[in-house]
Amino acid sequence: MSPISTRHRFRDPRSTKYDFLESVLVRCPGCDKVAHIGTAPDPAGVRDQGLFVPRRLVCRNCGTAKESRRGGLALHRDPYGSARDPYFGVRLWLQTETRHGWVWAYNLEHLDLIRRFVQAPLREGIPWHDHGRKMTVVARLPAWMQQARNRDEVLRAIARIHASLLRT
């Protein structure tokens, strides 16, 4: 019997949702195409990457540009509705609905983390005795996403999300 290879094993990298907020893909409020939210340029030339720095929404298709100067974010989400970005409240681009609920991600890195977790037959979480972050992105995934019987459905949803980016 051979040991399980690393491609079949997932180890929680201890990422939280805050780790994926630097770059967010959303639906443009002007043309409904892909738009990008990133940090707004600082007039003083300081490049801060914190959560509360001003953000800018930019659409390359229609030229829409908005800046968020409020310095806050709202991470509340309706579990029965589509996901929205925490800065402007605009619908996320990387999302699709399944019969169990919504599969969504802020960016491709976030989506890839979810995909690697779902497809792995062996998932190693954080030991209970270990100090540090416990409520990571994968630890907070809904129970239906974590169940092996829904693996194929979730992976098909992730494939649909990837395909939506290729169509744009």
Side-chain angles (χ1 to χ4, degrees):
M1 193 149 165
S2 66
I4 294 180
S5 70
T6 56
R7 69 171 202 208
H8 297 293
R9 176 186 306 241
F10 178 86
R11 289 192 178 156
D12 193 343
R14 299 181 186 220
S15 300
T16 66
K17 58 188 166 191
Y18 304 110
D19 295 331
F20 300 103
L21 289 176
E22 187 175 324
S23 172
V24 180
L25 296 175
V26 296
R27 290 191 177 275
C28 175
C31 67
D32 211 34
K33 300 281 186 183
V34 179
H36 176 263
I37 296 176
T39 56
D42 188 6
V46 178
R47 185 97 172 133
D48 187 14
Q49 296 297 324
L51 288 174
F52 302 107
V53 298
R55 301 292 169 155
R56 175 180 280 173
L57 181 145
V58 177
C59 177
R60 290 187 176 173
N61 186 54
C62 70
T64 298
K66 292 183 177 183
E67 287 206 22
S68 166
R69 292 284 179 202
R70 62 188 176 140
L73 63 150
L75 290 170
H76 304 291
R77 198 182 82 71
D78 178 12
Y80 304 107
S82 63
R84 299 189 172 272
D85 86 276
Y87 297 102
F88 295 93
V90 180
R91 286 186 57 211
L92 294 179
W93 184 267
L94 301 176
Q95 66 178 320
T96 189
E97 190 173 14
T98 68
R99 65 189 171 121
H100 299 288
W102 287 83
V103 177
W104 61 272
Y106 289 124
N107 52 39
L108 289 173
E109 182 183 0
H110 186 195
L111 189 65
D112 183 58
L113 178 73
I114 296 169
R115 181 193 54 78
R116 287 185 293 120
F117 173 78
V118 169
Q119 78 180 10
L122 178 61
R123 302 169 183 163
E124 295 181 20
I126 300 169
W128 65 269
H129 56 79
D130 196 3
H131 297 291
R133 298 180 186 173
K134 300 282 189 210
M135 295 309 290
T136 62
V137 169
V138 295
R140 296 180 66 99
L141 286 175
W144 63 268
M145 278 181 124
Q146 298 182 28
Q147 294 172 343
R149 68 177 178 215
N150 296 327
R151 179 177 289 138
D152 291 337
E153 184 176 356
V154 175
L155 290 174
R156 280 193 307 271
I158 291 172
R160 282 195 312 268
I161 293 171
H162 271 286
S164 76
L165 260 180
L166 297 175
R167 287 192 304 259
T168 60

